[in-house]
Amino acid sequence: MYGFSFDLSTVLVFLTTFLFSLLCVHSRSESERGSKRHEKMPPGPRGLPVFGNLLSLGTNPHLTFVEMAKQFGSVFTIRIGSEPIVVLNGYKAVKDTLIAKSLLFAGRPKMPLTEELTKGKGIVTADYGDTWKTQRKFTLKTLKEYGMGRPAMEKNITKEMECLTKAFSEKKLQPFEVDKYLQVSIANIVCSVTFGSRYEYGDPQLLTLLHLIDRFCEIGPASTMVNFFPFLKHVPFGPVKEVFTNNEIMTQYVNSVIRQHGETIDYNRLRDFIDAYMDEIRKQNNNDTNKETSFNEEYLFYLLNDLFFAGTETMSVTLRWGLLYMIAFPDIQKKVQDEIDAVVGADRLPSLADKPHLPYTEAAMLEIQRMANITALTFPHKTLDDVQLYDHVIPKDTTVFVNLYSVHVDETQFPEPDKFDPGRFLNENGRVKQNPALLAFSAGRRRCPGEELATSELFLFFTGLLQRFSFQNPPGSPQPTLEKVFGISLVPHPYKVVAVPRSGDIPAH
Ligand code: HEM
């Protein structure tokens, strides 16, 4: 999800600042590196001075890690700069760590980039502890109350489906890119719950925010180099500078929304997540027990950023992959549509109550998530204590990369992993067969808290769209590639579709 890589602009930054780096790089002393603390760490590739293994990671580190695992084993150590990082590959290694020793791997490393962007607040980058637990629990509970649980979510999605159907129909069989439409619809679900408002497709404010997210996904990995080479923070150009500038714009917008809420809130009629959070701040401050509280407007700000980012990018990219796989495998698209037609018909939109009766559709969605691997690498974890793992000891406070991609192509769990086959998620009776090795939402203490909401939302959008339209490759165009572009998430190359309406008006719920 929040992995890393480097591109030309990063290389440029490196070259121009190489000399500087020799003097300034924030490295651990030789004596510490050679110390007993690290001597039983998992083995790994030798690296270069200053850069460590950075330059051998390539533009697709998740693939490089799979290759490295063949040589060094499923758990190995790399260095970026002077920082040792343990990389976990394959289902067994992830199960033996994130699941079996969940607490020990539940930390988040403190990194210059996240310190700058989030100050370690919010949920995603917050370290394990009481504040993280309290805020995560409150957020999830409140999201459900304000419309991310059924039936309110079904109502919101019906509205978005109306808009999508209208927009897609207006294309009148002309090829177009679905990205922006899906992004806005998905963002509207999060925004209506958190900000209490939805946006039209052309809304300049929302388009700016979505553009900032797009840019962050593209250049975010390059900007994470500042974590290992902190001097990059002072380079006046390049990805780090752009991420900081974009963050300023985002900050201004989110703060203005919080301010507006503060001016109009009625504590007897809470409207949305922001109101509910402000109400909680008030309650905690009125509490007689002089207990310290982590609820304040600054924390609210970081939570909103997390939700907007985590709740839009992941979802819309998954849907983009979903439609792309349907175009690439029209026979599977037809089987999904046949099932929807037989169970739901055309007179109403699919609802969550239909899900148990649409096993093939659900299996197709699970297979899309496995193949798409949108969060190939999770946000980095950190060990909370020394961990004995196989013959190794991973010291306390070690950064850990989790390669979820490697789990989803693990042949011991998914035979013929390169084959797109929804059937692998069905049993002999045609019912859905879950596979615990499908870890699209990761595992353990840091598992995605939005999983249930996301699965329901994806189901409603995916089934609604396929009930309404058949998606086809534009006539005469080459088959779109299923190759992935590595960034903060693995995204498809841009592609166009023809949306062929399957029946008349949008059905009501
Ligand atoms: C297809 C949709 C989604 C996918 C594939 C996904 C996947 C993930 C993954 C892999 C992680 C990292 C876990 C780790 O570090 O081990 C994560 C974290 C997170 N996700 Fe999601 N996510 C999705 C949707 C959502 C939604 C809709 C929300 C909120 C409404 C959300 C909120 C979060 C948050 C707050 C975290 C940080 C958890 C923590 O550090 O404690 N996600 N997600």
Side-chain angles (χ1 to χ4, degrees), residues 9-286:
S9 56
T10 320
V11 171
L12 193 70
V13 172
F14 279 137
L15 291 179
T16 52
T17 52
F18 179 72
L19 230 139
F20 185 54
S21 75
L22 287 175
L23 297 169
C24 306
V25 73
H26 173 73
S27 68
R28 295 197 175 159
S29 67
E30 280 304 317
S31 60
E32 192 196 340
R33 268 190 267 158
S35 74
K36 278 207 156 57
R37 224 176 141 249
H38 292 110
E39 107 192 339
K40 292 190 81 182
M41 282 188 82
R46 283 181 75 88
L48 297 170
V50 179
F51 291 107
N53 302 105
L54 174 70
L55 300 181
S56 47
L57 297 185
T59 49
N60 285 297
H62 59 296
L63 301 178
T64 310
F65 291 154
V66 169
E67 289 310 307
M68 286 178 174
K70 288 181 189 158
Q71 196 182 345
F72 298 103
S74 58
V75 182
F76 59 84
T77 308
I78 58 163
R79 280 176 197 278
I80 300 186
S82 60
E83 179 83 26
I85 293 164
V86 167
V87 186
L88 306 174
N89 281 272
Y91 181 55
K92 184 172 179 336
V94 173
K95 190 165 74 117
D96 292 348
T97 51
L98 293 203
I99 298 173
K101 299 177 196 288
S102 173
L103 181 57
L104 287 172
F105 285 87
R108 291 288 194 216
K110 193 171 171 176
M111 299 183 292
L113 184 66
T114 46
E115 280 303 297
E116 192 74 31
L117 298 180
T118 70
K119 304 200 168 40
K121 295 182 175 172
I123 301 176
V124 181
T125 64
D127 201 359
Y128 181 82
D130 284 346
T131 300
W132 167 79
K133 272 195 241 171
T134 311
Q135 296 288 337
R136 182 174 151 130
K137 201 167 148 205
F138 176 88
T139 301
L140 206 58
K141 176 180 85 70
T142 312
L143 283 181
K144 283 191 179 163
E145 275 170 25
Y146 284 86
M148 288 201 79
R150 59 169 109 167
M153 182 162 73
E154 287 183 324
K155 199 168 136 243
N156 286 345
I157 291 180
T158 301
K159 169 84 188 145
E160 295 307 324
M161 281 302 303
E162 279 166 18
C163 299
L164 280 176
T165 304
K166 185 164 172 287
F168 287 10
S169 302
E170 280 169 7
K171 296 291 171 194
K172 300 204 181 312
L173 305 184
Q174 289 306 306
F176 68 103
E177 287 186 7
V178 287
D179 310 14
K180 274 286 161 289
Y181 298 100
L182 296 181
Q183 257 186 326
V184 174
S185 282
I186 295 286
N188 273 338
I189 301 296
V190 174
C191 288
S192 49
V193 177
T194 50
F195 297 177
S197 50
R198 70 172 297 281
Y199 301 82
E200 296 304 323
Y201 290 129
D203 186 281
Q205 196 90 61
L206 185 65
L207 290 180
T208 305
L209 294 186
L210 294 175
H211 171 71
L212 296 183
I213 290 187
D214 278 351
R215 279 304 287 161
F216 184 65
C217 293
E218 282 161 35
I219 60 173
S223 69
T224 58
M225 285 306 116
V226 74
N227 293 332
F228 309 103
F229 304 98
F231 66 90
L232 290 173
K233 202 159 102 177
H234 307 291
V235 177
F237 57 90
V240 179
K241 171 79 184 154
E242 187 180 341
V243 163
F244 289 171
T245 310
N246 290 353
N247 187 50
E248 283 286 304
I249 305 173
M250 188 94 177
T251 302
Q252 280 170 18
Y253 180 68
V254 176
N255 274 334
S256 74
V257 177
I258 296 178
R259 227 180 7 258
Q260 280 161 19
H261 274 70
E263 286 159 10
T264 54
I265 189 167
D266 172 354
Y267 286 103
N268 297 315
R269 286 169 53 95
L270 303 178
R271 296 159 293 187
D272 50 32
F273 182 87
I274 299 184
D275 277 3
Y277 196 96
M278 288 185 157
D279 189 43
E280 188 64 23
I281 298 177
R282 198 177 60 126
K283 283 184 192 150
Q284 300 261 344
N285 287 336
N286 290 344

Side-chain angles (χ1 to χ4, degrees), residues 325-326 328-329 331-333 335-336 359-372 408 413-427 432-433 435 438 482:
Y325 273 99
M326 292 301 99
F329 297 90
D331 48 332
I332 293 178
Q333 178 172 185
K335 277 177 92 168
V336 170
Y360 188 81
T361 306
E362 189 181 343
M365 291 181 63
L366 293 172
E367 182 67 342
I368 287 164
Q369 290 200 291
R370 185 189 73 82
M371 291 291 283
H408 294 157
Q413 304 302 316
F414 301 105
E416 296 186 77
D418 295 335
K419 191 169 157 198
F420 181 67
D421 175 18
R424 70 172 83 240
F425 288 105
L426 291 171
N427 67 17
V432 171
K433 180 178 70 179
N435 184 332
L438 179 66
L482 296 172

Side-chain angles (χ1 to χ4, degrees), residues 481-502:
T481 173
L482 296 172
E483 292 285 309
K484 299 164 172 68
V485 183
F486 186 88
I488 292 288
S489 41
L490 289 189
V491 297
H493 286 267
Y495 69 91
K496 289 193 171 171
V497 295
V498 172
V500 183
R502 299 188 66 231

